[in-house]
Amino acid sequence: MITFQYSHLRSVTEADVKAFDSRIARADEAIRNRSGAGNDFLGWVDLPVNYDREEFARIKEAAQKIKRDSDILLVIGIGGSYLGARAVIEFLQGVYYNGKRKNTPDIYFIGNSFNGEELKNVLELCEGKDVSVNVISKSGTTTESAIAFRIVREYLAKRYTPAELSSRIYATTDRSRGALRQMSTENGYETFVIPDDIGGRFSVLTPVGLLPIACAGIDIDALMAGAAAEREALFSAGLSNDAYRYAIVRNLLLERGKAVEVLASYDPSFRFLGEWFKQLFGESEGKQKKGLFPASVVYSSDLHSLGQFMQDGSPILFETVCTLSKPATRDLTVPFEEANADGLNYLAGEAMYKINKKAMLGTLLAHEQGGTETLLIRYDVKDARTLGELIYFFELSCAASGYLLEVNPFDQPGVEAYKKNMFALLGKPGYEEQRASLEEQLKNI
């Protein structure tokens, strides 16, 4: 169960939240009735209870095959095509997943930058190993991913026959169109569908995320069940549900001058959930010169760097802390030492979970005393079902928050600007005139 707490805030009252009643009602109607801007991309709303069961079964079968015949799975994708899967895997299987002894393949996420050194390093890790590939792109022409896929195909073609290579490539793409769909048909790749009505940043519970997640040995049935349970709980609660309240409070703080929301966790394995959060909210809300800038930190490590700014810096931000409300199932205790040279015997026998919790509470009090307000999002246990709940909570909050801002939460017009300039500067056919103009502008850079 996911719970949101803000009652301790000094600047937000229940009356302030209630004043949003009419606005959140409009946002709710836009989501439930698919009547708002971007309504063609609301498929995620019902996805946890309305997904393709046959394809879901094929995902599990493909994952079993990959686990049997592969030491390494290369996941090629950018943005929503990899962030969600990586976030789920690291949160549930740990940051050091690839170094663990296990009966699942190591998983490397590539094709999300233009850095050749990084890609070369990953290919070197593949030497002497059996490799499978999951390439994820609706069009098949996303530049970062398409380049990586071309390089990987060339590399693996030296090790496998064409038939063997085709059996090791899994494409997650459009149902019927695009370069990757055509390539898959021509080469016999097994394919999974990116739904037309779900955008990339909302796609973690589609085949985009589910195949890599299943390959990591994670229970995707439990993940979907958690999302379904959270969907039912939130919509049953009506306009007062915690996802909407979170959307309201963050917009209230924005209206009162806060420009940045910092998502914080005291669990290192939460780091990529923070990265997923940044794309989800940043790409959904950052339009028309509106929106909160989403950032993320992992405490207590970042308390020794950004903690100074959080405590005493410019008052432009607030924190949203995601925290485990029950003791961790895997934990350590501090041992007793007779000499007590480090002075830690006062902690002897204490669980690390308890120490971490006290660090969180101490930080919360210190930051509030320094003027930084903190919201709390709690989850009960660290498992696949609970993570499904948390994913759905954030997705619904994000959609509602975008509608409160009166922007389309599901488009990303600003993302296309860099692509057009890049294509022109690289000499892509059709961009010749723009290239000359850009090169003139770059003379002084």
Side-chain angles (χ1 to χ4, degrees), residues 29-45 196-198 403 407-411:
E29 181 180 4
I31 293 167
R32 291 194 196 227
N33 298 333
R34 303 193 182 203
S35 58
N39 54 33
D40 289 344
F41 290 94
L42 279 162
W44 57 270
V45 175
D196 289 335
D197 58 356
I198 299 178
Y403 283 134
V407 301
N408 179 350
F410 307 112
D411 66 356

Side-chain angles (χ1 to χ4, degrees), residues 1-4 91-92 229-230 233 242 267 270 321-330 353 357 376-390 393:
M1 181 178 179
I2 309 302
T3 58
F4 170 61
F91 183 69
L92 295 175
E230 184 70 5
D242 275 1
D267 181 350
F270 200 94
V321 176
C322 291
T323 180
L324 183 66
S325 57
K326 295 180 181 179
T329 55
R330 289 167 52 83
Y353 167 84
K357 183 65 70 173
L376 293 171
I377 294 174
R378 290 188 169 91
Y379 52 97
D380 288 337
V381 292
K382 189 174 177 180
D383 61 15
R385 181 182 175 91
T386 301
L387 184 51
E389 294 174 357
L390 189 62
F393 174 90

Side-chain angles (χ1 to χ4, degrees), residues 157-325:
K158 299 171 183 176
R159 299 174 49 184
Y160 298 109
T161 67
E164 288 172 336
L165 180 55
S166 292
S167 73
R168 290 179 171 274
I169 294 177
Y170 303 81
T172 308
T173 188
D174 189 86
R175 184 180 302 277
S176 59
R177 298 173 298 177
L180 183 54
R181 169 56 64 181
Q182 180 178 346
M183 191 183 302
S184 300
T185 301
E186 291 172 353
N187 292 280
Y189 305 153
E190 182 167 5
T191 60
F192 300 96
V193 174
I194 301 175
D196 289 335
D197 58 356
I198 299 178
R201 56 190 177 273
F202 288 83
S203 68
V204 60
L205 299 178
T206 74
V208 169
L210 293 178
L211 180 56
I213 290 167
C215 287
I218 293 167
D219 185 348
I220 60 174
D221 288 290
L223 193 70
M224 295 299 282
E230 184 70 5
R231 173 185 174 277
E232 175 65 23
L234 291 172
F235 284 126
S236 294
L239 299 182
S240 63
N241 75 64
D242 275 1
Y244 285 173
R245 285 181 173 263
Y246 172 48
I248 290 169
V249 172
R250 60 195 305 277
N251 275 273
L252 273 167
L253 292 171
L254 173 63
E255 290 178 0
R256 294 174 184 185
K258 302 302 182 184
V260 178
E261 178 179 14
V262 179
L263 187 75
S265 174
Y266 287 73
D267 181 350
S269 68
F270 200 94
R271 186 177 302 277
F272 259 85
L273 276 169
E275 296 301 310
W276 173 77
F277 166 89
K278 287 190 289 189
Q279 189 202 12
L280 181 67
F281 280 86
E283 202 171 22
S284 296
E285 293 189 318
K287 296 152 196 171
Q288 303 172 30
K289 307 304 177 186
K290 297 179 181 180
L292 286 157
F293 183 87
S296 63
V297 293
V298 174
Y299 294 151
S300 64
S301 58
D302 285 333
L303 288 175
H304 294 258
S305 54
L306 294 174
Q308 173 62 42
F309 191 97
M310 304 297 292
Q311 185 72 34
D312 292 331
S314 176
I316 60 172
L317 55 82
F318 65 92
E319 292 177 294
T320 298
V321 176
C322 291
T323 180
L324 183 66
S325 57

Side-chain angles (χ1 to χ4, degrees), residues 41-165:
F41 290 94
L42 279 162
W44 57 270
V45 175
D46 296 327
L47 178 68
V49 295
N50 186 26
Y51 57 91
D52 186 334
R53 265 62 177 182
E54 184 276 330
E55 185 175 49
F56 194 81
R58 283 200 302 114
I59 288 171
K60 291 194 280 190
E61 290 170 4
Q64 289 301 320
K65 178 180 179 296
I66 292 168
K67 285 189 278 188
R68 285 194 306 269
D69 65 18
S70 304
D71 304 303
I72 288 174
L73 172 66
L74 299 179
V75 179
I76 302 175
I78 192 169
S81 293
Y82 93 99
L83 279 172
R86 184 166 182 179
V88 171
I89 292 168
E90 291 202 3
F91 183 69
L92 295 175
Q93 302 288 43
V95 176
Y96 306 109
Y97 166 80
N98 283 341
K100 293 166 67 174
R101 293 183 180 178
K102 56 192 185 302
N103 60 0
T104 55
D106 289 350
I107 300 176
Y108 296 99
F109 294 89
I110 59 175
N112 47 67
S113 77
F114 291 117
N115 191 291
E117 181 181 14
E118 179 188 48
L119 183 53
K120 186 175 180 62
N121 287 338
V122 172
L123 292 180
E124 287 173 352
L125 291 170
C126 294
E127 286 297 318
K129 306 286 183 66
D130 276 319
V131 179
S132 287
V133 178
N134 179 205
V135 56
I136 306 166
S137 174
K138 193 163 183 63
S139 66
T141 58
T142 305
T143 313
E144 293 90 339
S145 303
I147 289 173
F149 187 38
R150 177 181 285 202
I151 291 170
V152 166
R153 290 200 315 277
E154 180 188 55
Y155 169 79
L156 293 179
K158 299 171 183 176
R159 299 174 49 184
Y160 298 109
T161 67
E164 288 172 336
L165 180 55

